[in-house]
Amino acid sequence: MSAIRLIRVLFYGAATQRGATKTQVRRVWSGCSSRSSLCGQEGAQRGLSLTAAASQFELSLTKPPVSGVVSSKLWNDMLEVKFGDGTEGRLPFVWLRDNCQCSQCFSVEGLGRKFLIDDLDVEVQPTKVEESMQGLTVKWSDGHQSEYSTNWLQNRAFTPSSRALHREKYALRKEQWGAEHRIKDFDYNTLMSNERVLLDWLLTMERKGSAMVRNVPQKDVAGQELIEHIAFVKQCHYGPHSPVINRPNSNNVAFTNAKLGLHNDLPAYEHMPGIIFIQCLAQHPGAGGESIVTDGLFAAEELRRKRPEDFKILSSTDMYFWDKGHANYSWEMPEFYKIAKFPVIKVNGNNEVVQIAVSNTTRDSHMDLPPQEVKKYYAAYKRFYIILSANAMTFKMEQGDMMTLDNVRCLHGRESYDADSQRHIETSYLDWDEARCRRRRLQEKFGCFI
Ligand code: OGA
Ligand code: ZN
Ligand code: ZN
């Protein structure tokens, strides 16, 4: 059995052939969709398994255009189409009508739907379907006529592979790591001047959540300038960058010489900063000031495996985080009073971990819990913290180093240091939406969507 047939049987089953109506076939022209800027990159799926699709995507640079839609059958409120390369897809009528690509329904300039849901008949049916080497033409029960190009359709054909490919475009798969992890090095000037290296950093950050930038210029805005080279700084009430020094009248425990346990920065923000840039301008020469870093995703998954009840408590109980104070510097907000509320382990609709929020300094003393549940909560939280610590690595940043961390996944901390030390760290933030956006743009530019 060929791979394509095997996939077809696995995902579509034998019922595929039953009750199908063959529609008329009219092959006109062979070629790739001219509208799509992703033309060369689309159509990667060839009936692959989920994992194979992802690795195939990794290797994909340019792909031959798909040669038309060769047949279609009506099947359970769906159009079952077969493409020229042998792959198939099932396209629900309502989805096809909603996504009509004509200029009346879709803005080519704005790349957005003009067709209103008010005008969508969920029970819409095709009255005539024509296949061609260009794609599909469908006449609808509401009187409208739609045309779809082959590549456009194949990329959205609801197959496991097309769905996996788009999932990767949305966000790369994260690779978990433990204490033995070696953080990948990048050179600051190369990152600023070489877009392929910048893409490598973006991919590394998305997959591993951690990287180290070396040879960073000795100025407090070096992190900010790198962020501005990528997109723009995620501001917070501490401004575009924060001197992490032992400040007099410090407005945050981080800006003292105290030890900081493993934490994520700024969980008092409902939308926590995505990537933190921690630049070392001066390190404490003696013992003290060492960094500690751990992969919160690794720890959360270990907790889920070994202590499912703890995972449930931490992922379903909202905690308050707060940050209140006044400016130490002119660029900070004169007064701030933030409160956010979410679980320490945030999961999405697929129960995947999407955010870790741990901060001993800003975890609020207010708890929105009945008192009898508090001790159980602490026990779960403490066991999670023990896993985080057990898989952490310790090292010392030197002058010119800048650690970059996925702030909603990896946790960092630092050892205490002498109160009169000249140690100087600077922090700045970049949001994940901007980082992923730059990654997609570079992948398009280099023709290597992953
Ligand atoms: C911080 C922080 C790290 C350090 O400011 O939030 O974690 O090494 N600083 O001082
Ligand atoms: Zn239309
Ligand atoms: Zn921090």
Side-chain angles (χ1 to χ4, degrees):
M1 187 182 283
S2 73
I4 288 169
R5 269 201 65 204
L6 177 65
I7 296 293
R8 218 175 284 156
V9 169
L10 281 174
F11 292 113
Y12 294 162
T16 305
Q17 305 305 316
R18 286 198 291 273
T21 318
K22 187 85 178 66
T23 56
Q24 82 187 83
V25 177
R26 184 167 59 90
R27 298 170 69 88
V28 183
W29 173 83
S30 170
C32 171
S33 153
S34 56
R35 201 190 62 73
S36 171
S37 62
L38 294 174
C39 183
Q41 291 135 15
E42 296 201 341
Q45 56 277 44
R46 299 283 186 275
L48 301 166
S49 73
L50 272 170
T51 5
S55 48
Q56 178 91 347
F57 206 11
E58 187 113 9
L59 297 170
S60 67
L61 288 171
T62 50
K63 297 163 207 87
V66 182
S67 47
V69 176
V70 291
S71 68
S72 67
K73 299 157 194 166
L74 307 185
W75 189 82
N76 280 356
D77 280 343
M78 288 181 266
L79 200 59
E80 189 177 285
V81 294
K82 190 169 183 181
F83 298 103
D85 61 356
T87 59
E88 294 181 344
R90 282 180 176 171
L91 314 170
F93 300 153
V94 66
W95 172 83
L96 271 172
R97 177 63 191 93
D98 182 41
N99 290 289
C100 175
Q101 294 293 290
C102 84
S103 59
Q104 193 187 325
C105 298
F106 187 81
S107 163
V108 177
E109 304 77 44
L111 292 182
R113 191 182 291 104
K114 287 158 69 182
F115 184 56
L116 297 170
I117 200 84
D118 315 47
D119 300 326
L120 178 68
D121 173 10
V122 176
E123 301 300 333
V124 73
Q125 297 278 326
T127 54
K128 187 174 181 190
V129 179
E130 289 182 11
E131 307 90 352
S132 71
M133 290 303 283
Q134 286 158 306
L136 269 183
T137 304
V138 183
K139 278 195 178 145
W140 296 106
S141 50
D142 64 8
H144 195 69
Q145 177 166 314
S146 307
E147 282 176 19
Y148 310 89
S149 77
T150 313
N151 280 74
W152 189 93
L153 286 172
Q154 205 184 28
N155 266 278
R156 294 160 178 79
F158 291 91
T159 56
S161 58
S162 68
R163 289 171 59 189
L165 291 175
H166 201 66
R167 215 176 291 133
E168 290 261 309
K169 208 181 265 191
Y170 157 65
L172 300 181
R173 259 168 314 161
K174 294 177 181 139
E175 296 163 18
Q176 296 170 30
W177 48 265
E180 74 298 336
H181 175 54
R182 288 187 63 84
I183 294 188
K184 190 166 176 176
D185 274 353
F186 293 85
D187 173 71
Y188 185 91
N189 287 329
T190 315
L191 269 179
M192 292 291 258
S193 59
N194 185 327
E195 287 189 319
R196 285 188 186 270
V197 177
L198 181 62
L199 176 57
D200 188 17
W201 177 82
L202 288 161
L203 297 172
T204 304
M205 287 305 298
E206 239 180 294
R207 289 175 176 143
K208 301 282 187 190
S210 56
M212 186 67 80
V213 184
R214 308 281 190 197
N215 310 313
V216 180
Q218 195 62 14
K219 53 180 175 182
D220 60 2
V221 291
Q224 189 182 327
E225 285 177 5
L226 176 55
I227 293 170
E228 280 160 359
H229 178 65
I230 298 164
F232 42 80
V233 167
K234 153 86 177 178
Q235 290 256 17
C236 67
H237 50 247
Y238 297 109
H241 69 94
S242 298
V244 183
I245 53 175
N246 191 15
R247 303 182 190 178
N249 302 316
S250 171
N251 54 14
N252 191 297
V253 182
F255 310 139
T256 69
N257 64 328
K259 176 181 167 99
L260 296 177
L262 287 165
H263 66 279
N264 309 92
D265 272 19
L266 295 170
Y269 272 76
E270 211 68 59
H271 182 73
M272 287 168 62
I275 301 178
I276 178 171
F277 291 63
I278 305 175
Q279 179 198 356
C280 180
L281 281 133
Q283 185 53 280
H284 180 64
E290 293 84 2
S291 302
I292 172 163
V293 173
T294 194
D295 182 5
L297 180 63
F298 178 96
E301 291 305 339
E302 180 140 322
L303 188 75
R304 192 195 320 244
R305 269 192 311 275
K306 296 195 170 150
R307 310 285 309 210
E309 200 48 42
D310 289 350
F311 184 90
K312 193 161 175 240
I313 291 171
L314 295 184
S315 60
S316 62
T317 315
D318 280 346
M319 277 295 118
Y320 288 117
F321 299 89
W322 74 307
D323 200 3
K324 185 175 183 182
H326 50 81
N328 285 152
Y329 297 105
S330 59
W331 59 82
E332 296 182 343
M333 286 280 275
E335 307 279 344
F336 50 87
Y337 189 1
K338 299 282 192 317
I339 305 177
K341 193 187 193 196
F342 37 67
V344 161
I345 300 174
K346 213 185 223 181
V347 296
N348 65 12
N350 291 327
N351 222 12
E352 295 160 339
V353 173
V354 291
Q355 180 178 288
I356 307 288
V358 167
S359 167
N360 226 42
T361 57
T362 57
R363 183 165 46 75
D364 206 332
S365 45
H366 288 274
M367 294 179 87
D368 199 359
L369 284 180
Q372 62 273 21
E373 285 177 27
V374 168
K375 189 173 175 191
K376 203 165 54 165
Y377 184 86
Y378 270 94
Y381 185 69
K382 178 83 192 239
R383 281 190 286 263
F384 181 43
Y385 195 83
I386 288 168
I387 300 176
L388 286 164
S389 304
N391 296 288
M393 53 180 167
T394 303
F395 53 91
K396 197 157 183 174
M397 283 205 291
E398 296 301 337
Q399 187 179 84
D401 292 346
M402 183 163 64
M403 179 162 57
T404 56
L405 293 174
D406 179 343
N407 185 54
V408 293
R409 165 183 170 181
C410 295
L411 294 86
H412 62 281
R414 66 128 199 267
E415 291 299 332
S416 62
Y417 55 94
D418 290 351
D420 56 0
S421 170
Q422 295 306 300
R423 186 179 191 269
H424 181 179
I425 301 288
E426 285 281 336
T427 51
S428 301
Y429 308 98
L430 166 67
D431 259 342
W432 265 118
D433 298 85
E434 309 309 336
R436 289 205 176 94
C437 169
R438 190 65 194 271
R439 185 258 295 170
R440 291 180 203 113
R441 280 167 47 206
L442 289 173
Q443 284 178 319
E444 275 197 343
K445 182 170 177 177
F446 299 131
C448 54
F449 250 114
I450 294 174

